[in-house]
Amino acid sequence: MNNVILMLKDLDRRVRFMLISQSIYTFGVQLITQYNTLFAQTLGASGSDVGLINSISSGVQGALSMHIGLAAEKHSIKKIMLVGLLCDISAMAILIFAALLHTPWYVLIPAFILYFQLIRYLPFADMIVVLFANSDKRATVLGLSRLFRGLMGLVAPAIASLVVTYYGGISPEGIFPLYCISLTIFTSVFLLTSKFFPETKLSNNVDKSCSNPKNTGFIREYSEFFKDKNVRRWILIKLFARDGFQFMLTIFVPLWLVNIKGATPVELGLIAFFSTVADMLFQVPVGKLADKIGRRRAFFIFTMFYCLGVSILIWSPSHEYLMLAAILGGATGSIVGGIGGTAFTPFITMWWEIVPTESKGKLYGLDNLLITISRAPAAMIGGILWDVGFKELTLLIPVFVELFIVVPLIFILPKRTGRKDMLIKTK
């Protein structure tokens, strides 16, 4: 604990600010995550209507993500984050309006587009950590940030359930207070970011680039970006890994637990609890290990826990083994959680380190685009396999992809140069 406190004191003030602000922001997100779809249903949305809402929001995100990435390089990171927070605030206002007036479900479409999709605050928090933390402490600080997020993930849903129950259960009236609280939280983060986070730009050539159309061509800039061989390799890794086939687990692990293993609501709660606690306890140690022995080695070690956890989930002889699978990271229905989920910390550290500072905006845009285009095919493949009876295979495919595609691709990546990213222009 003393070492963590000393490390926090030595961090750049912008990193310390993001650790605090992203924790507050995560609380607001976790407070309402479980209830957004339920809220749409209380306003009359069917399952297909909910799918349509999410498809539209994902489509808009994919269409604009790379443009937003370029904007992050042409303007200050602070301005982009503030615009994103304004989107979240506007979304909460729409949701509050819908709850008060019991509007039709389609009024929620703009809110789903704006909230947590268009400009994502948390990836910018990761970017800032990578930019301002020393290279030998980056993974540790990212692990610490996920520890803070994990704490919010434990506390916020419990508070949300109490609030919804007190105000009448799953109904517009019961969910309405959550949106009011989140509106207050997002507004507070907006004011804190506006006041205390300095103007920070990724390039000294911002003004020149903006004034010269030849330098700001969308296709031209990204065509140069994609010439980097490592970027192309990482596109494959992201498509197959965390943004691709592993997304299948978020859909089908809950179905497997309930329909195949017969897990009760209490057991589902215990699985989520053990997974979250294990993830929190291992985040900082895994980050330190990644800084000491290298990102790749740490990823290889801890992604094996995830693969083992999924295997135990499939072939567990009793419900007690489901808890073991949760601790290992294979029973969460999420791309993070459990010991194996901590592999994401060295993974995301490597992702943000693959390009120099002035290209990290494009990397952010690429990240959002890959999320959009990779999840739909994975979900479709998983759904077909599940419906035709290959349920075990549906859960095993992400493990096979991790072991035989993702791990080899990461293995052939060049070692880090040790270069310390520095932001070029700050005020």
Side-chain angles (χ1 to χ4, degrees), residues 27-250:
F27 182 85
V29 170
Q30 292 294 332
L31 200 67
I32 60 178
T33 295
Q34 293 177 310
Y35 295 95
N36 291 327
T37 299
L38 295 173
F39 180 60
Q41 289 180 331
T42 65
L43 296 181
S46 64
S48 59
D49 294 332
V50 171
L52 176 63
I53 293 173
N54 283 281
S55 296
I56 292 173
S57 62
S58 296
V60 173
Q61 179 192 20
L64 297 180
S65 61
M66 300 182 82
H67 295 279
I68 293 171
L70 281 181
E73 295 178 4
K74 305 305 180 186
H75 307 282
S76 74
I77 297 176
K78 176 179 178 177
K79 289 179 181 177
I80 302 299
M81 289 194 299
L82 289 176
V83 172
L85 289 167
L86 283 176
C87 290
D88 292 329
I89 292 169
S90 300
M92 294 304 104
I94 294 171
L95 293 167
I96 290 171
F97 171 80
L100 286 174
L101 300 183
H102 289 229
T103 64
W105 64 267
Y106 51 79
V107 174
L108 303 182
I109 293 176
F112 274 65
I113 291 173
L114 293 172
Y115 165 66
F116 201 60
Q117 291 273 10
L118 205 55
I119 301 177
R120 299 184 297 148
Y121 192 80
L122 296 180
F124 276 109
D126 289 344
M127 183 194 297
I128 289 164
V129 168
V130 171
L131 288 171
F132 286 104
N134 292 334
S135 61
D136 59 346
K137 293 181 179 179
R138 284 175 187 160
T140 303
V141 179
L142 283 173
L144 189 62
S145 74
R146 274 146 182 80
L147 171 61
F148 293 159
R149 295 182 196 179
L151 288 171
M152 297 300 103
L154 277 179
V155 175
I159 294 176
S161 65
L162 293 175
V163 171
V164 171
T165 301
Y166 181 80
Y167 283 96
I170 306 298
S171 64
E173 293 78 13
I175 300 174
F176 166 76
L178 297 183
Y179 292 132
C180 293
I181 297 171
S182 290
L183 174 63
T184 303
I185 291 171
F186 295 149
T187 302
S188 299
V189 175
F190 176 87
L191 295 175
L192 288 171
T193 303
S194 178
K195 176 70 174 178
F196 296 107
F197 193 82
E199 294 286 350
T200 305
K201 297 180 178 178
L202 294 174
S203 173
N204 273 331
N205 299 320
V206 173
D207 296 332
K208 181 179 178 180
S209 297
C210 289
S211 62
N212 188 348
K214 292 183 179 180
N215 291 334
T216 58
F218 174 83
I219 296 177
R220 182 178 180 276
E221 294 221 25
Y222 271 101
S223 63
E224 292 293 324
F225 180 68
F226 289 133
K227 288 181 180 179
D228 189 324
K229 180 170 62 176
N230 290 325
V231 170
R232 296 197 300 271
R233 287 175 178 169
W234 269 98
I235 290 174
L236 292 176
I237 292 169
K238 292 278 282 182
L239 283 173
F240 281 114
R242 308 287 161 166
D243 300 334
F245 283 99
Q246 279 202 6
F247 179 68
M248 290 166 60
L249 296 179
T250 68

Side-chain angles (χ1 to χ4, degrees), residues 4 7 139-144 147 277-294 298 302 339 342 345-346:
V4 172
M7 183 184 69
T140 303
V141 179
L142 283 173
L144 189 62
L147 171 61
V277 171
D279 181 81
M280 289 168 50
L281 291 176
F282 278 82
Q283 279 292 351
V284 174
V286 170
K288 287 184 177 180
L289 185 66
D291 286 329
K292 184 175 182 179
I293 69 172
F302 286 93
I339 299 173
T342 59
T345 297

Side-chain angles (χ1 to χ4, degrees), residues 7-24:
M7 183 184 69
L8 287 173
K9 290 181 178 179
D10 292 338
L11 291 175
D12 186 282
R13 64 187 180 93
R14 284 158 285 204
V15 177
R16 290 200 300 269
F17 173 84
M18 290 310 304
L19 289 176
I20 296 170
S21 67
Q22 58 110 34
S23 300
I24 300 171

